[in-house]
């Protein structure tokens, strides 16, 4: 006894020191009203505390505590000052520690000091995930799902509590068992504990409730949310979701016949759920690895867009599915600019389904190429990963990608994130210039490819065809020029009809004859080249020359017939035989009065 008494004294001193440290600021929970909502697969605990300062000085903060059994499952915690009618404002929380005590602790900073003797009403909200355990863990398709919840009858607090009540709301009236501390009152889905008087700090007493809960036990095991920002007026959002049913695992085979015939068959399964998108969402798509899932439905409301997501099969306990949902948003509703400064304000996560739970989330925000000085403001703490680069159409050095992750999210985490960055607007011309440059290079390459010969060996036949085609093109050009001389001769004759100027007529005729003779010689030269190449086009060129010349000469002679005698004598004076007209196209071809050709028709 003499050896143990010093140890007992030391322990008592330590406990007294801890108690004095916890209540050194003189805070007391005068009245506590707890509401434990177990109607879904989440445990939502709302606590209204009348906090009294019985110390000698004002305090600026107080401590919230979470017992060690529930701390690993805590998804959200928030505190606000409760006024007479509604909440006055949200209070800031910062995680802290208390030596010698188990659990998690959060320091709540008050907006104004709580004076000595004053009282303050505070509302605390906590949401816990994966605390409802299916029991039994395996059920058949026809059985109902039972779950077990283990919590604390008392408010786990570092301050003494004068009076406390706990009200538990269940999902159904069917309750297998529940703890009966303080002779609780049960009324349908409600179990009321208390009031408990003069509860010591850090008091714990296990509250265990075993009841029926057939609500959807859906859990998003992982979600990857990609937000791609474009300064051309669009923001593309895509979510890749891995979803599983975390309720009691299905035991035995699944019967589609019983499932459709009996309304209570598979009552805890999930057929569909609603995803809420922003009101301006458009071009919504919902697909999986197989393709588009046409059983989904879309409803456009005034303030949102609802998508009824219906998997290809109902989800039972232990089953999972994978799908992709995406949509487009107009950038003017979410992207703000001031000069070269931009700010993107969007949700960090969407409303996937009611009372959602996300085990792991990855958010990727793809900014335009050239964005710099990137800064992110988040509503709560997230884990930033190293920035990445994303390459898409017409990118040169890559688009910056912000990557962030967070675990254990619920509906309260649907809040906006703000991304600030700088962007030089002149870079918007980069993509149009790249398109223009690409087409220019393409056309230039085609031109070079067509005009140059890249063959290793020569093809004599191809070269001959190319030469013949070139010579033929030259012949056609010369023939067209000679037809122009004939038309010019018509103009000379017509002018003579009006002016009766013999000198101009002779001068024009001589000039045209000289040009005609030159063109004829060139055509003859090209015809000789065609014969040299061994082409049969040489004879066709000769026939074409003769036919064209005869038609033109006959036309001129017909006009000359209607002229008077002085025009006739002027044109053909001193000329006859083969020289009584234009230089011949062949032997004996010349213009004669009366339309006769020397040496033939």
């Amino acid at each position: 006894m003499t050896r143990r008494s010093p140890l007992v004294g030391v322990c008592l001193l330590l406990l007294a020191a801890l108690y004095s440290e916890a209540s050194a600021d003189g805070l007391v929970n005068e009245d506590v009203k707890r509401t434990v909502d177990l109607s879904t697969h989440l445990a939502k605990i709302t606590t209204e505390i009348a906090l009294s300062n019985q110390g000698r000085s004002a305090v600026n903060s107080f401590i919230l505590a979470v017992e060690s059994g529930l701390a690993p499952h805590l998804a959200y915690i928030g505190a606000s000052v409760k006024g007479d009618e509604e909440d006055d404002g949200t209070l800031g929380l910062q995680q802290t520690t208390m030596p010698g005590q188990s659990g998690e602790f959060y320091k709540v900073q008050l907006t104004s000091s709580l004076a000595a003797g004053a009282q303050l009403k505070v509302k605390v909200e906590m949401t816990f995930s994966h605390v409802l355990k299916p029991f039994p863990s395996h059920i058949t398709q026809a059985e109902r799902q039972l779950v077990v919840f283990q919590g604390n009858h008392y408010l786990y607090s570092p301050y003494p509590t004068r009076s406390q009540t706990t009200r538990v709301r269940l999902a159904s009236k069917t309750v297998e068992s529940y703890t009966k501390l303080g002779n609780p009152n049960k009324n349908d889905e409600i179990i009321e504990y208390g009031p408990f008087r003069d509860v010591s700090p850090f008091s714990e007493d296990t509250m265990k409730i075993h009841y029926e809960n057939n609500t959807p036990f859906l859990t998003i095991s992982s979600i990857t949310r990609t937000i791609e920002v474009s300064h051309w007026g669009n923001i593309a959002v895509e979510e890749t979701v891995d979803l599983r049913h975390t309720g009691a695992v299905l035991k035995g085979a699944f019967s589609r016949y019983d499932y459709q015939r009996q309304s209570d068959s598979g009552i805890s399964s999930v057929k569909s759920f609603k995803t809420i998108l922003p009101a301006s969402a458009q071009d919504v798509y919902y697909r999986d690895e197989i393709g588009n899932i046409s059983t989904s439905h879309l409803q456009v409301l005034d303030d949102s867009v609802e998508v009824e997501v219906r998997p290809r099969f109902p989800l039972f306990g232990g089953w999972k599915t994978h799908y992709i949902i995406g949509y487009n948003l107009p950038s003017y509703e979410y992207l703000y600019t001031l000069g070269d400064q931009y700010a993107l304000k969007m949700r960090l996560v969407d409303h996937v389904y009611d009372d959602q739970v996300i085990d792991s989330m990855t958010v990727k925000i793809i900014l335009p190429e050239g964005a710099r000085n990137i800064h992110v403001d988040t509503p709560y703490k997230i884990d930033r990963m190293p920035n990445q680069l994303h390459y898409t159409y017409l990118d040169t050095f890559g688009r910056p990608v912000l990557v962030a992750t967070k675990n254990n999210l619920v509906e309260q985490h649907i809040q906006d994130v703000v991304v600030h960055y700088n962007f030089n607007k002149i870079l918007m011309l980069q993509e149009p210039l790249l398109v223009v440059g690409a087409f220019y290079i393409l056309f230039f390459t085609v031109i070079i490819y067509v005009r140059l010969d890249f063959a290793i060996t020569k093809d004599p036949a191809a070269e001959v065809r190319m030469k013949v085609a070139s010579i033929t093109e030259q012949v056609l050009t010369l023939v067209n020029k000679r037809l122009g001389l004939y038309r010019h001769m018509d103009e000379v004759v017509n002018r003579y009809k009006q002016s009766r100027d013999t000198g101009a007529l002779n001068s024009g005729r001589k000039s045209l004859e000289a040009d005609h003779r030159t063109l004829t010689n060139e055509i003859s030269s090209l015809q000789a080249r065609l014969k040299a190449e061994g082409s049969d086009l040489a004879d066709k060129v000769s026939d074409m020359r003769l036919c064209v010349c005869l038609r033109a000469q006959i036309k001129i002679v017909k006009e000359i017939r209607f002229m008077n005698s002085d025009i006739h004598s002027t044109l053909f004076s001193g000329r006859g035989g083969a020289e009584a007209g234009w230089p011949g196209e062949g032997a004996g071809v010349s213009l004669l009065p009366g339309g006769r050709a020397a040496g033939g028709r």
Side-chain angles (χ1 to χ4, degrees), residues 252-326:
F254 167 65
S255 173
R256 172 70 69 174
Y257 175 75
D258 293 340
Y259 188 76
Q260 293 181 347
R261 184 174 62 90
Q262 302 175 6
S263 60
D264 58 346
S265 178
I267 191 172
S268 61
S269 64
V270 178
K271 298 180 180 179
S272 63
F273 54 89
K274 287 186 178 180
T275 295
I276 300 178
L277 305 179
S280 57
Q282 55 188 355
D283 304 329
V284 182
Y285 58 89
Y286 166 51
R287 65 173 186 265
D288 57 8
E289 291 89 346
I290 300 177
N292 183 57
I293 304 176
S294 59
T295 55
S296 59
H297 299 283
L298 182 70
Q299 184 178 8
V300 179
L301 305 178
D302 293 337
D303 57 347
S304 64
V305 175
E306 288 188 357
V307 182
E308 182 184 1
V309 178
R310 184 180 294 270
R312 297 183 183 275
F313 49 85
L315 295 178
F316 285 85
W319 292 15
K320 61 182 179 179
T321 185
H322 172 87
Y323 69 90
I324 298 174
I325 187 170

Side-chain angles (χ1 to χ4, degrees), residues 198-217:
D198 298 327
V199 181
S200 302
F202 301 110
S203 295
E204 289 188 78
D205 189 86
T206 302
M207 176 176 61
K208 185 175 182 180
I209 303 175
H210 187 200
Y211 68 103
E212 180 181 335
N213 189 344
N214 294 307
T215 56
F217 271 58

Side-chain angles (χ1 to χ4, degrees), residues 467-481 518-542 544-545:
K467 289 181 180 180
V468 169
S470 177
I471 295 173
T472 304
E473 185 177 356
Q474 297 179 33
V475 170
L476 292 175
T477 302
L478 296 176
V479 169
N480 291 332
K481 289 183 179 180
T518 302
L519 293 175
T520 302
N521 293 335
E522 293 180 0
I523 293 174
S524 300
S525 175
L526 294 175
Q527 185 178 1
R529 291 176 58 186
L530 286 175
K531 290 182 179 180
E533 295 295 341
S535 175
D536 56 352
L537 293 177
D539 298 335
K540 296 182 180 180
V541 169
S542 177
M544 178 184 66
R545 289 171 54 198

Side-chain angles (χ1 to χ4, degrees), residues 14-69:
L14 289 174
L15 291 175
L18 292 174
Y19 179 80
S20 61
E21 181 181 358
S23 59
D25 47 12
L27 294 178
V28 176
N29 300 323
E30 291 290 346
D31 184 36
V32 175
K33 295 180 180 179
R34 297 177 69 214
T35 300
V36 182
D37 187 357
L38 304 179
S39 60
T40 63
H41 67 298
L42 297 173
K44 304 175 184 178
I45 301 178
T46 303
T47 307
E48 296 181 1
I49 305 173
L51 190 64
S52 175
N53 182 9
Q54 298 182 3
R56 298 180 178 179
S57 60
V59 294
N60 297 319
S61 62
F62 65 95
I63 301 296
L64 291 178
V66 183
E67 49 266 52
S68 58

Side-chain angles (χ1 to χ4, degrees), residues 478-479 481-487 489 508-524 545 548-550 552-553 556 581-586 589-591:
L478 296 176
V479 169
K481 289 183 179 180
R482 195 166 60 177
L483 290 175
L485 295 180
Y486 297 145
R487 289 191 294 270
M489 183 61 191
R509 179 178 60 81
K510 293 179 180 180
S511 175
L512 292 174
E513 288 180 355
D515 294 339
H516 186 274
R517 188 178 301 106
T518 302
L519 293 175
T520 302
N521 293 335
E522 293 180 0
I523 293 174
S524 300
R545 289 171 54 198
V548 170
C549 291
L550 285 176
Q553 291 174 357
I556 295 174
W582 291 55
E585 294 296 332
V589 179
S590 62
L591 282 177

